[in-house]
C-alpha cells in the first residue's frame, strides 16, 4: 500500500515555486472561415434556399473571422450527405451540416409546440457542437475528459451569449434531448458511446443555463429538472467551464482585453 505522507516525520521544506508558464504563442492569422451552401438535389432545394436566406452560416463565419485566428481556411458547409448527420472532417478542415438533418428536424417537429425553436435550437446546437470539435483540432486545444462533452460545453456557452433568444434555444435543445431519450430504446452498449446519454446531456445543459444566472429560471429547480444538490453546484460549474474555454481560446483571439473578460465565448 502506498502511503502519502507519514506521521512522526520532520516536515520537508517547501519546494521553490515553479516559474510561471510562458504565454502561448498567438496563432498566425493565415486562414479564414468560409461559408458554403452546397448544391442540393430537387428534394432539398427549398431547404437550401431557406438556409441561404437565413444567412446562418454567413453570420457565424463573420463573427468567427472577426474573433479567432486560424492558420488555414476552414469551411462551414451545408451540403447533401446521403444521411441526416453533421460532422467535422479534420483532414479537410470542414464542418458539414447535412440538408437531410434539417429536413429530418423539420419533419419531426413541424407539428410540435414551439416547433420553430426546437428546429432552430437543435440545428444551431449541432452546428456549434461540430465547430467545437473543429476548434479543438485546429487550435490544438488540450482537452481532458471526453471531447464530446467539451463540444457540448462550447455549443451551450455560445448559445447563452445571445441573451434571451440564446436561453430559449438552449432550453429547446434540452427539450429535444429529453424527447429523444423517451423515444430511443436504451441498450447497455450506450454506455460505451463517446457521447453522453441523452438525459445526461439534458441535465448538463439545464445546469449550465441555471448556473449562468440562478435567479433567472427558478422553475428549473422548482419543477424538479435539477436536484437541489446539483443546482447548488451549477454556478461554480458554469463559471469554471466558461473560464476554461476563455483561457484555452485566449492565445488565438484577435480581440484581446486586459481590463475585462475575454469576449469569446
Amino acid at each position: 500500500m502506498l502511503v502519502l505522507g507519514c506521521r512522526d516525520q520532520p516536515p520537508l521544506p517547501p519546494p521553490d515555486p515553479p516559474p510561471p508558464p510562458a504565454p502561448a504563442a498567438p496563432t498566425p492569422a493565415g486562414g479564414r472561415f468560409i461559408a458554403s451552401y452546397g448544391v442540393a438535389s430537387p428534394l432539398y432545394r427549398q431547404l437550401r434556399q431557406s438556409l441561404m436566406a437565413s444567412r446562418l452560416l454567413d453570420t457565424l463565419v463573420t463573427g468567427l473571422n472577426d474573433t479567432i485566428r486560424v492558420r488555414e481556411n476552414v469551411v462551414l458547409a451545408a451540403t447533401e450527405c446521403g444521411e441526416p448527420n453533421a460532422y467535422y472532417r479534420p483532414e479537410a478542415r470542414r464542418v458539414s451540416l447535412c440538408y437531410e438533418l434539417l429536413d429530418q428536424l423539420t419533419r419531426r417537429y413541424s407539428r410540435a409546440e414551439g416547433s420553430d425553436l426546437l428546429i432552430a435550437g437543435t440545428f444551431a446546437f449541432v452546428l456549434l457542437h461540430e465547430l467545437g470539435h473543429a476548434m479543438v483540432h485546429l487550435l490544438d486545444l488540450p482537452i481532458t475528459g471526453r471531447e464530446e462533452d467539451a463540444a457540448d460545453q462550447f455549443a451551450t456557452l455560445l448559445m447563452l451569449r445571445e441573451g434571451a433568444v440564446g436561453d430559449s434555444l438552449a432550453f429547446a435543445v434540452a427539450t429535444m434531448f429529453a424527447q429523444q431519450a423517451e423515444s430511443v430504446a436504451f441498450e447497455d452498449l450506450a454506455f460505451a458511446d463517446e457521447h453522453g446519454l441523452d438525459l445526461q446531456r439534458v441535465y448538463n445543459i439545464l445546469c449550465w443555463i441555471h448556473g449562468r444566472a440562478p435567479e433567472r429560471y427558478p422553475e428549473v429547480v422548482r419543477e424538479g429538472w435539477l436536484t437541489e444538490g446539483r443546482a447548488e453546484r451549477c454556478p461554480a460549474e458554469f463559471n469554471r467551464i466558461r473560464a476554461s474555454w476563455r483561457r484555452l481560446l485566449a492565445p488565438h483571439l484577435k480581440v484581446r482585453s486586459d481590463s475585462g473578460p475575454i469576449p469569446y465565448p
Side-chain angles (χ1 to χ4, degrees), residues 34-38 57 75-79 94-99 127:
I34 301 169
S36 171
Y37 300 88
L57 297 183
V75 177
L76 273 62
T79 185
R94 181 184 180 93
V95 173
S96 294
L97 294 163
C98 305
Y99 294 133
L127 170 60

Side-chain angles (χ1 to χ4, degrees), residues 21-63:
T27 302
R32 58 192 295 266
F33 294 89
I34 301 169
S36 171
Y37 300 88
V39 175
S41 63
L43 182 61
Y44 303 115
R45 195 165 293 158
Q46 183 60 47
L47 281 176
R48 177 179 183 267
Q49 293 174 354
S50 298
L51 193 57
M52 291 178 67
S54 74
R55 298 188 59 80
L56 172 65
L57 297 183
D58 306 85
T59 302
L60 179 58
V61 158
T62 298

Side-chain angles (χ1 to χ4, degrees), residues 67 158 161 246 249 253-257 260-265:
T67 310
L158 290 188
R161 290 181 71 246
R246 286 178 170 176
L249 292 173
L253 295 179
K254 294 180 179 179
V255 181
R256 300 291 296 276
S257 173
I262 295 170
Y264 194 99

Side-chain angles (χ1 to χ4, degrees), residues 11-26:
L12 295 174
D16 294 333

Side-chain angles (χ1 to χ4, degrees), residues 13-243:
D16 294 333
T27 302
R32 58 192 295 266
F33 294 89
I34 301 169
S36 171
Y37 300 88
V39 175
S41 63
L43 182 61
Y44 303 115
R45 195 165 293 158
Q46 183 60 47
L47 281 176
R48 177 179 183 267
Q49 293 174 354
S50 298
L51 193 57
M52 291 178 67
S54 74
R55 298 188 59 80
L56 172 65
L57 297 183
D58 306 85
T59 302
L60 179 58
V61 158
T62 298
L64 290 169
N65 283 326
D66 288 344
T67 310
I68 294 184
R69 296 183 181 92
V70 287
R71 293 183 176 89
E72 300 176 272
N73 289 345
V74 185
V75 177
L76 273 62
T79 185
E80 194 164 340
C81 308
E83 61 175 344
N85 205 349
Y87 46 85
Y88 171 64
R89 290 283 185 258
E91 67 280 2
R93 300 181 303 282
R94 181 184 180 93
V95 173
S96 294
L97 294 163
C98 305
Y99 294 133
E100 293 90 340
L101 176 62
L102 182 55
D103 179 64
Q104 183 188 73
L105 294 173
T106 302
R107 293 176 184 274
R108 178 181 298 174
Y109 296 122
S110 60
R111 297 183 180 181
E113 182 180 355
S115 60
D116 289 345
L117 274 176
L118 281 170
I119 295 168
T122 302
F123 198 67
F125 181 84
V126 169
L127 170 60
L128 296 174
H129 176 97
E130 296 306 326
L131 180 61
H133 286 301
M135 293 295 97
V136 170
H137 168 251
L138 294 165
L139 305 179
D140 194 25
L141 301 181
I143 297 296
T144 62
R146 293 188 299 194
E147 187 176 318
E148 295 296 338
D149 293 342
D152 280 359
Q153 295 168 4
F154 181 84
T156 305
L157 285 172
L158 290 188
M159 295 176 86
L160 294 180
R161 290 181 71 246
E162 301 304 315
V165 172
D167 293 355
S168 296
L169 293 176
F171 275 119
V173 174
T175 300
M176 178 274 296
F177 279 125
Q179 293 179 354
Q180 190 164 285
E182 293 177 353
S183 62
V184 177
F186 184 80
E187 299 178 355
D188 288 348
L189 285 178
F191 289 106
D193 195 79
E194 66 270 23
H195 298 85
L197 301 177
D198 288 332
L199 280 179
Q200 288 179 307
R201 299 173 89 173
V202 170
Y203 297 132
N204 284 340
I205 292 169
L206 290 176
C207 180
W208 302 332
I209 296 171
H210 177 72
R212 192 271 309 271
E215 71 288 347
R216 190 170 299 174
Y217 303 107
E219 63 271 23
V220 170
V221 180
R222 186 175 62 242
E223 296 178 8
W225 281 101
L226 284 176
T227 64
E228 290 186 4
R230 176 75 187 273
E232 288 175 359
R233 293 187 290 273
C234 288
E237 181 175 333
F238 174 81
N239 289 329
R240 182 171 61 252
I241 290 170
R242 182 171 58 181

